[in-house]
Amino acid sequence: MIRVDTLTYSASAMCANLCRLEDDFRALEEAGCDELHFDIMDGAFVPNITLGPDFIKAAKACCGLPCNAHLMIADPARYIPRFVEAGADSVTVHIEGCVHAHRALSQIRQAGASPGIAINPGTPLTKLEYLLDFVDRVLVMAVDPGFAGQPIIPSAFERVRILRDNLAYRELNAHIEVDGNIDVQNAAMLAHHGARIFVLGTSSIFKKDAASRDGGLAQAFTEFKKAVDTKRRAL
Ligand code: DX5
Ligand code: ZN
């Protein structure tokens, strides 16, 4: 289960070196990374195509990290059973992709996984209002989904704060996760606004050359985590 007191880090498999996933997953696990994040794209909901349930199955076979499936696909409810069968511990669906979001979230829970709802930068937060009771996490997209390496859309900070206040007011325990351009500065600021789970991609541990330096990915992860803590203390 995700910890609340400290920050939780979910490493984006899409941003890893696809030629050495096993080594990278194991290195991340040993370094204390909390989760693997699988960006699943279908070329319809977003203009890119990536990964699928077999990647999660392979990850579960070679490391002990929990796996989160972030489904950026049209009508994601169709594929929930496939991802849970593949070993996804949690499944996140987009509010924009679901005709019956509540049903999709119930399906995830009934299948034995932890449900999450994701929201794009342009979608009003009020769309989530009647779903917050049914999720373990809310994924706030800080960029338009589809590609790694995009700059943060600054409204993400305010959206996280509003969501945090809303969850607190309603005494709900869902965690706020943010995906997109999570570098040290953004992670610290978003944590300050109430986010607790961060997707690590090309802005942090998979930054060009970061993983190929001495110490590799494990060191890149440890250094990033330390830098965020330092930055948070300075805020
Ligand atoms: C967007 C992707 C990215 C990625 C995170 O759809 O989900 O946000 O995994 O990586 P960077 O750090 O490149 O934004
Ligand atoms: Zn993602």
Side-chain angles (χ1 to χ4, degrees):
M1 196 52 209
I2 300 294
R3 297 193 302 266
V4 234
D5 50 339
T6 52
L7 302 183
T8 291
Y9 291 107
S10 193
S12 172
M14 161 186 140
C15 300
N17 184 336
L18 298 184
C19 297
R20 49 152 208 253
L21 286 179
E22 182 170 1
D23 291 350
D24 282 2
F25 292 163
R26 288 195 171 148
L28 285 165
E29 185 174 11
E30 276 165 32
C33 185
D34 302 280
E35 185 182 70
L36 294 175
H37 178 98
F38 289 83
D39 283 314
I40 315 290
M41 307 186 186
D42 66 351
F45 183 73
V46 290
N48 194 6
I49 299 179
T50 60
L51 315 184
D54 288 346
F55 280 79
I56 295 178
K57 200 171 171 186
K60 295 299 283 188
C62 68
C63 76
L65 285 170
C67 293
N68 170 250
H70 172 199
L71 304 186
M72 285 165 274
I73 62 178
D75 194 7
R78 294 173 300 157
Y79 286 96
I80 289 167
R82 285 280 303 279
F83 281 95
V84 177
E85 276 159 29
D89 300 274
S90 54
V91 178
T92 300
V93 292
H94 270 260
I95 180 71
E96 302 85 359
C98 292
V99 181
H100 306 292
H102 172 266
R103 180 178 289 148
L105 295 168
S106 307
Q107 238 184 294
I108 296 168
R109 180 102 54 203
Q110 275 161 19
S114 164
I117 191 82
I119 185 159
N120 286 337
T123 305
L125 288 174
T126 48
K127 289 250 183 192
L128 298 178
E129 202 63 25
Y130 298 101
L131 295 169
L132 295 176
D133 304 79
F134 306 103
V135 296
D136 293 336
R137 64 172 85 188
V138 181
L139 174 58
V140 175
M141 291 305 301
V143 298
D144 290 316
F147 300 97
Q150 305 178 79
I152 195 165
I153 300 173
S155 55
F157 299 103
E158 191 190 12
R159 284 161 72 77
V160 167
R161 185 182 52 73
I162 292 168
L163 199 51
R164 189 252 331 254
D165 291 348
N166 196 7
L167 288 166
Y169 177 73
R170 291 175 56 184
E171 298 180 355
L172 295 172
N173 292 320
H175 302 314
I176 301 173
E177 177 179 15
V178 189
D179 190 357
N181 194 197
I182 300 300
D183 59 14
V184 172
Q185 173 72 20
N186 290 338
M189 281 305 288
L190 288 161
H192 182 67
H193 284 74
R196 283 297 169 267
I197 311 174
F198 295 96
V199 179
L200 303 184
T202 65
S203 311
S204 57
I205 57 173
F206 297 112
K207 201 186 280 183
K208 206 166 174 294
D209 298 335
S212 55
R213 288 194 334 244
D214 282 351
L217 195 51
Q219 193 171 325
F221 174 77
T222 308
E223 282 172 9
F224 178 77
K225 199 173 160 176
K226 215 168 131 190
V228 174
D229 287 346
T230 306
K231 183 69 81 181
R232 283 180 83 194
R233 280 194 291 270
L235 286 178

